[in-house]
Amino acid sequence: MAAFASSSSVTISSSPTMAISNIANLAPIKLNKYNYVLWKSLWLPILYSFNLLSLVDGSNVLPSEFITTSDDSGLSVLNSNPNFTDWARRDQILLIWLNATISENLLVYVVGLPTSEILWRTLERRFSTISRSHVMQLKSRLQPIKKNSDSITDYLQHIKQIVDNLAALGSTIDDEDVVFNILNGLPAEFDAFTTSIRVRSTPITSDDLHGLLLSEELSLET
């Protein structure tokens, strides 16, 4: 494999120069076992922009390390293939970038993988099933949530956390469904309020509902 320059920035193909340390600005989250879809969605534009997608999808095949040419006397000579050196350099730089955005507890599963394509496909296989399972688990937790003795703020924060986690997994919940779940989890003392929201002629957003619920909570406490 080609050696790496000691400079803090590299130029890949005809793409603009980018400091390796700046990759965290473009992909500001580290991959963990819950956010693979979000992590991947941040990386795809980077791969497109730097003309690197072909390295991870397998369409840019590793060239032969050596090529055969003829010398002046017509004899075959084995020479290093400059295309191999360039490919290896680009691939290893991308591998460094990807590893830099993987959380420490997951690096154990990918350490030593030789190319960015193998790393990318390994993560894809590992997390596609986990992500689907986690989405189902989160959705099953969302429906039965009840306010009980929690404050409105804590109750809504609990729901928001699940909705945000689902979004990070690529599974967005329609805001109308979020409102439905919020209303369903309110105790009996909120029945009049819940009815007033349900009979509205225009739908209410979860953000607007949050403010109204805080006011209703204060009203019930006085």
Side-chain angles (χ1 to χ4, degrees):
M1 291 293 181
F4 298 111
S6 60
S7 171
S8 62
S9 63
V10 294
T11 302
I12 294 187
S13 187
S14 58
S15 303
T17 301
M18 181 176 72
I20 293 177
S21 60
N22 287 343
I23 195 64
N25 295 326
L26 299 181
I29 64 167
K30 288 207 170 190
L31 176 66
N32 60 46
K33 62 181 180 179
Y34 299 119
N35 66 355
Y36 170 72
V37 174
L38 179 60
W39 178 86
K40 182 179 178 181
S41 71
L42 293 174
W43 262 105
L44 286 176
I46 297 173
L47 297 175
Y48 277 114
S49 299
F50 286 86
N51 195 27
L52 296 170
L53 186 62
S54 60
L55 285 175
V56 298
D57 68 11
S59 59
N60 190 341
V61 181
L62 173 65
S64 298
E65 186 172 359
F66 300 99
I67 55 176
T68 302
T69 59
S70 298
D71 61 15
D72 294 339
S73 62
L75 296 176
S76 296
V77 178
L78 198 62
N79 293 308
S80 297
N81 184 355
N83 291 332
F84 171 85
T85 303
D86 179 64
W87 187 99
R89 171 183 169 276
R90 294 170 66 240
D91 179 74
Q92 292 300 292
I93 289 172
L94 177 56
L95 188 63
I96 291 171
W97 287 0
L98 290 170
N99 279 323
T101 61
I102 298 175
S103 60
E104 186 175 347
N105 62 327
L106 292 181
L107 281 174
V108 64
Y109 299 108
V110 297
V111 65
L113 295 181
T115 68
S116 55
E117 180 190 358
I118 293 176
L119 171 65
W120 189 263
R121 294 192 184 279
T122 298
L123 293 175
E124 199 166 52
R125 286 194 303 270
R126 179 174 182 81
F127 287 105
S128 58
T129 301
I130 292 176
S131 295
R132 287 194 299 271
S133 175
H134 194 45
V135 165
M136 294 176 64
Q137 181 186 43
L138 287 171
K139 286 185 175 180
S140 68
R141 287 172 50 195
L142 183 61
Q143 293 183 354
I145 289 180
K146 302 296 181 184
K147 177 184 177 296
N148 297 322
S149 60
D150 290 341
S151 67
I152 285 295
T153 297
D154 289 343
Y155 170 59
L156 295 181
Q157 181 59 36
H158 190 188
I159 292 177
K160 183 180 184 300
Q161 184 177 27
I162 295 177
V163 171
D164 288 348
N165 286 339
L166 283 167
L169 290 167
S171 178
T172 56
I173 302 294
D174 188 85
D175 194 59
E176 189 172 342
D177 292 330
V178 175
V179 169
F180 176 82
N181 280 283
I182 291 173
L183 295 177
N184 274 0
L186 294 172
E189 59 262 33
F190 285 84
D191 281 353
F193 173 86
T194 298
T195 300
S196 70
I197 297 298
R198 293 188 190 279
V199 299
R200 284 169 58 105
S201 58
T202 57
I204 188 172
T205 67
S206 57
D207 287 339
D208 289 340
L209 180 60
H210 188 166
L212 292 177
L213 277 171
L214 290 175
S215 297
E216 182 68 12
E217 182 180 45
L218 287 174
S219 176
L220 291 172
E221 290 175 351
T222 57

